[in-house]
Amino acid sequence: MEKKKTLLRSLPKVDECLNRILAQLSGTVPQFVVKKCIQKCIDQERLAILENPESRISLSNDEWDELFIDTINEKYDYNLKCVYNCTGVVIHTNLGRSLLPSDAVHQLSRAGSSYSNLEFDLRTGKRGTRYSLVEEIICDLTGAEAALVVNNNAAAVMLVLDTFAKGKEVIVSRGQLVEIGGSFRIPDVMAKSGAHLVEVGATNRTHVKDYKAAITDETAMLLRVHTSNFKILGFTSDVSPEEMVQLAREDSLITMEDLGSGSLLDLSRFGLVKEPTVQEVVKAGIDVVTFSGDKLLGGPQAGIIVGAKDIISQIKKNPLNRALRIDKFTLASLEAVLRIYYDIPKALQQIPTLKMLTVDISELKKRAQRISRRIKQHLNGMCDVQVLPVDSKVGGGAMPDCNLPSYGVILKPHEYSLHSLEDSFRHLEIPIIGRVENERYVLDVRTIQDEEVVGLSAAIISFFS
Ligand SMILES: *Cc1c(COP(=O)(O)O)cnc(C)c1O
């Protein structure tokens, strides 16, 4: 009791600290920001004392000042920070999914600093539509008749269902009722769009006859959902896009496929799992196909909708489309990424997501050795450093059963626990995000860029010295 009172009484007064800190910062930070930060520190300490006085000690003026200055500096740093992705997960949703190729970054910055023909038709001088900037390219690449882009794939699915299935029935195989992290569940999205979900088949097997038996006068669509993040193995059977299209034509129903990742390339020749490409699904005759811009495509966050002309034109007219529209930065960078796909070898070299997924294992080994060589002698006696084979993941819910052979720089610190190393690395100026597995800290080099090797190594050395 007594300790609590003494500690509370020893808390400094905001105004007394203010002038001292302002003088230290010599006018570089506005007074109200400084005051706010000081107030925040003192309030937090007061709360901590009230909660558990035994755990607190009274701080000296110097200690308080350090706390204030740290808090002010933190406030002045960007909240969105660049990090080193050493997880080996290429399409890491929490770390921003795809990195953009340099052409796309260039276009982004031009779109930001200059006026553009975003919605202005330069031929006629009249109002244009933003989608027309990428529609033809998407059609060229996918073989579709028409295309539209919206904020993300979740929005794309919502918009299509809202356009064609509001108050009507949509038939989906039970094995495809997926949840894609971040609370995107197909049944919930359907409910929100006002479509009634009709589940058919069993979890592992669905047949054409199951769909056929479920079709009623209320049926609007047959929907396939790509089961991106899980795989049903063993005794399974699925209705192919071709079979679905044939069935739908008999009853004039609309077919839709939510492809999720939506690759434009078959990556199986690089040892990745065979995924249906957008072109294949379009060719099978599915009326409307949706996929993400920032998963296997390797572009900015976007939802791409491709399909038959009359279908896409109805979607374009849906007022919800206006609410889900993409901004000029997305369009600028998406156009740049899509253009690269006209030349596939170039795409594999220039689009970071594709490059990281298809990089030769010998390159990865060399990269790991470069890092190890740089840091090893400096960490001598403080941390063991080894280069070992590891497995990386595609991420983004794509190819869940695919382990990509990679190389890791393995750290075994002597004085830190793995947990505290992981925590400390996360708090560095440029945070290092690695993996703790099998009693070791792994820096998987698949997701480390060549340009990052020097900076990353220096950051690790400086942490230990
Ligand atoms: C990832 C995914 C989505 C959501 O896409 P976002 O672009 O993240 O909105 C929807 N459906 C499937 C099958 C997915 O894999």
Side-chain angles (χ1 to χ4, degrees):
M1 228 33 224
E2 214 31 56
K3 177 160 184 203
K4 194 196 272 187
K5 269 191 203 149
T6 317
L7 281 172
L8 287 175
R9 230 175 286 127
S10 77
L11 287 174
K13 304 270 174 298
V14 176
D15 289 333
E16 281 166 17
C17 305
L18 186 59
N19 287 331
R20 197 168 70 229
I21 299 296
L22 283 173
Q24 281 189 38
L25 293 168
S26 44
T28 50
V29 182
Q31 174 163 339
F32 85 96
V33 176
V34 176
K35 190 165 178 175
K36 225 175 146 131
C37 289
I38 293 174
Q39 186 77 59
K40 183 173 154 190
C41 292
I42 298 174
D43 287 349
Q44 274 173 353
E45 185 58 24
R46 180 178 298 111
L47 272 180
I49 295 168
L50 290 171
E51 257 171 39
N52 184 1
E54 294 315 314
S55 72
R56 313 312 299 174
I57 49 163
S58 93
L59 301 177
S60 69
N61 271 356
D62 284 351
E63 285 167 329
W64 273 111
D65 287 3
E66 202 182 314
L67 192 63
F68 296 147
I69 300 282
D70 281 353
T71 309
I72 291 162
N73 285 339
E74 206 179 292
K75 197 177 178 73
Y76 259 69
D77 196 6
Y78 284 108
N79 290 328
L80 184 74
K81 294 178 176 32
C82 294
V83 307
Y84 293 116
N85 175 5
C86 307
T87 64
V89 180
V90 178
I91 306 170
H92 198 306
T93 297
N94 300 146
L95 301 184
R97 288 208 181 147
S98 284
L99 307 188
L100 293 175
S102 57
D103 287 5
V105 174
H106 182 61
Q107 276 297 84
L108 251 179
S109 116
R110 289 188 356 144
S113 55
S114 166
Y115 287 107
S116 61
N117 61 334
L118 181 67
E119 283 190 349
F120 184 76
D121 188 331
L122 291 170
R123 274 169 313 179
T124 62
K126 301 216 167 69
R127 184 168 203 265
T129 55
R130 55 184 68 207
Y131 320 107
S132 60
L133 297 170
V134 288
E135 182 164 12
E136 192 175 314
I137 308 175
I138 297 173
C139 293
D140 286 348
L141 297 173
T142 61
E145 286 174 12
L148 172 65
V149 280
V150 290
N151 185 55
N152 58 14
N153 187 35
V157 174
M158 188 81 145
L159 181 62
V160 177
L161 291 173
D162 184 87
T163 309
F164 299 109
K166 216 181 185 108
K168 303 216 184 88
E169 292 173 358
V170 177
I171 306 177
V172 192
S173 160
R174 207 160 256 140
Q176 298 174 0
L177 291 175
V178 293
E179 169 175 322
I180 329 280
S183 77
F184 180 88
R185 274 188 184 178
I186 290 296
D188 299 344
V189 172
M190 285 202 143
K192 210 62 199 158
S193 65
H196 302 301
L197 167 67
V198 178
E199 298 175 34
V200 294
T203 306
N204 57 335
R205 289 171 74 85
T206 304
H207 308 278
V208 174
K209 63 175 193 284
D210 296 325
Y211 286 92
K212 209 177 171 97
I215 295 174
T216 69
D217 289 347
E218 295 304 309
T219 309
M221 303 179 86
L222 305 184
L223 167 64
R224 279 170 56 89
V225 182
H226 186 55
T227 55
S228 327
N229 54 3
F230 75 104
K231 193 133 200 132
I232 298 174
L233 301 171
F235 186 55
T236 63
S237 109
D238 202 2
V239 171
S240 72
E242 289 83 359
E243 290 171 309
M244 181 177 270
V245 167
Q246 203 185 353
L247 180 66
R249 291 210 173 129
E250 293 168 16
D251 287 288
S252 309
L253 302 174
I254 294 170
T255 52
M256 167 179 180
E257 176 139 356
D258 170 13
L259 254 184
S261 299
S263 183
L264 294 176
L265 301 179
D266 177 4
L267 294 170
S268 61
R269 69 184 158 112
F270 299 98
L272 283 91
V273 174
K274 169 82 183 93
E275 291 263 309
T277 62
V278 181
Q279 298 91 307
E280 285 164 3
V281 180
V282 168
K283 197 158 172 228
I286 295 283
D287 296 311
V288 54
V289 183
T290 71
F291 55 99
S292 286
D294 55 356
K295 290 185 180 171
L296 286 172
L297 192 76
Q301 178 188 305
I304 303 175
I305 309 173
V306 301
K309 227 187 184 85
D310 58 320
I311 297 274
I312 299 295
S313 72
Q314 287 182 68
I315 302 172
K316 283 179 182 167
K317 287 185 207 132
N318 186 335
L320 187 59
N321 183 20
R322 172 62 178 81
L324 303 175
R325 79 178 186 187
I326 63 173
D327 70 313
K328 60 181 175 182
F329 302 110
T330 309
L331 265 169
S333 52
L334 183 64
E335 183 190 353
V337 171
L338 289 167
R339 279 191 184 282
I340 302 176
Y341 274 97
Y342 278 124
D343 183 343
I344 296 300
K346 194 168 139 190
L348 289 165
Q349 270 317 302
Q350 297 190 357
I351 297 177
T353 298
L354 295 181
K355 192 174 174 186
M356 284 186 265
L357 287 173
T358 60
V359 60
D360 199 79
I361 184 81
S362 63
E363 289 291 316
L364 296 173
K365 188 170 185 179
K366 268 190 255 166
R367 192 180 297 155
Q369 285 168 336
R370 271 178 71 203
I371 296 173
S372 166
R373 257 199 315 274
R374 283 183 171 270
I375 63 176
K376 204 165 184 156
Q377 80 223 36
H378 298 278
L379 271 52
N380 206 359
M382 291 177 284
C383 181
D384 295 339
V385 182
Q386 256 183 310
V387 169
L388 287 175
V390 295
D391 279 333
S392 12
K393 285 281 185 191
V394 176
M399 307 182 192
D401 53 346
C402 184
N403 283 324
L404 299 169
S406 178
Y407 271 87
V409 178
I410 313 294
L411 303 182
K412 282 192 193 155
H414 299 179
E415 286 165 32
Y416 298 92
S417 69
L418 288 172
H419 172 75
S420 76
L421 184 74
E422 188 272 334
D423 186 79
S424 308
F425 272 17
R426 247 189 303 113
H427 286 88
L428 293 174
E429 191 175 335
I430 300 177
I432 299 173
I433 316 295
R435 304 200 298 256
V436 174
E437 59 179 32
N438 305 331
E439 308 294 306
R440 53 193 201 171
Y441 187 87
V442 179
L443 302 156
D444 185 330
V445 301
R446 178 179 297 276
T447 43
I448 298 169
Q449 313 306 301
D450 275 327
E451 315 81 75
E452 292 177 337
V453 165
V454 173
L456 172 66
S457 306
I460 295 172
I461 295 168
S462 126
F463 172 77
F464 278 100
S465 47

